[in-house]
Amino acid sequence: MSQSSGGFFERLQALTLRGQQAFMAALCERLVPNYALYAETTGHGDVQALRAVLALVWERLSVKDARIDFDRQAEKLAELEPPEDDDSFGARRALEAVVAISALLDTLRGESPDSVLDVSRTSRGGVRAFIELTEGEEDAGKLAALTREHPLMCEENDFQDAVLEAAQGHLDRDALKALRHLGRNEGVSNLGLTTD
């Protein structure tokens, strides 16, 4: 089973900046299907544009000298947010994908040293919200226990452990490609949802 959260977050913060960025990019890949489902069902958003921003992040990780204007990418990303007046479950999960990629872009722009923790927590928070929605448990103590033991949360923890382990290794082009493939998770999101 996964290590204690203290150990996990310490290891996460001990990663090189590039390792943290690769970790975040992999988690973002796994959030994209939630955004895609929202865009597909509501007509709001543009999953191709979202994927394009994320693809540039992977390019920068692979090619150190790649000249990419991440300020411009951050502007494009802001335009992809769900409408402010949409407080639906789908909109909140879509917004999580945008916020996570935005946090990743901040690190590429030399800002936000805690972004890696934010992205990790954002992904887990989405899973927690999904479990709360689907289980309908009123008792906070029971819900917390249910969430900890829920298969989706166990899967999320195992996934983040696997990504962290990969990000701790030597991140050459092949390793980054493997990490991106891991993040894509065969098109299944952290909520177990897919657009297929």
Side-chain angles (χ1 to χ4, degrees), residues 21-36 47 50-59 61 96-97 100-101 104 119 123 159 163 176-190 193:
Q21 290 166 341
F23 174 89
M24 289 187 277
L27 262 61
C28 289
E29 286 286 354
R30 197 158 171 254
L31 294 174
V32 168
N34 296 334
Y35 184 94
V47 73
L50 191 78
R51 285 190 197 282
V53 173
L54 198 47
L56 289 172
V57 171
W58 287 108
E59 183 181 331
L61 288 171
E96 284 171 355
I101 296 171
L104 172 52
V119 172
S123 187
F159 176 79
V163 173
L176 286 167
K177 201 178 283 187
L179 199 50
R180 189 176 187 183
H181 180 75
L182 177 65
R184 289 209 168 148
N185 199 38
E186 295 173 7
V188 180
S189 81
N190 61 335
L193 303 175

Side-chain angles (χ1 to χ4, degrees), residues 10 80 107 114 137-138 152 185 187 195:
E10 284 160 19
L80 300 176
T107 68
D114 289 336
E137 176 59 62
E138 296 295 320
L152 272 180
N185 199 38
T195 52

Side-chain angles (χ1 to χ4, degrees), residues 73-149:
Q73 296 310 312
E75 288 169 17
K76 286 182 185 174
L77 196 58
E79 294 166 12
L80 300 176
E81 288 185 12
E84 272 184 46
D85 59 352
D86 187 346
D87 193 33
S88 67
F89 182 83
R92 290 197 301 268
R93 303 295 76 82
L95 184 60
E96 284 171 355
V98 175
V99 166
I101 296 171
S102 180
L104 172 52
L105 292 185
D106 286 346
T107 68
L108 289 156
R109 295 156 67 200
E111 304 164 9
S112 296
D114 289 336
S115 288
V116 71
L117 299 177
D118 295 340
V119 172
S120 172
R121 290 179 181 133
T122 295
S123 187
R124 279 197 176 96
V127 175
R128 190 174 302 107
F130 187 73
I131 294 167
E132 288 174 9
L133 178 78
T134 55
E135 297 297 334
E137 176 59 62
E138 296 295 320
D139 182 277
K142 285 181 184 169
L143 182 60
L146 184 72
T147 300
R148 263 193 313 278
E149 302 303 320

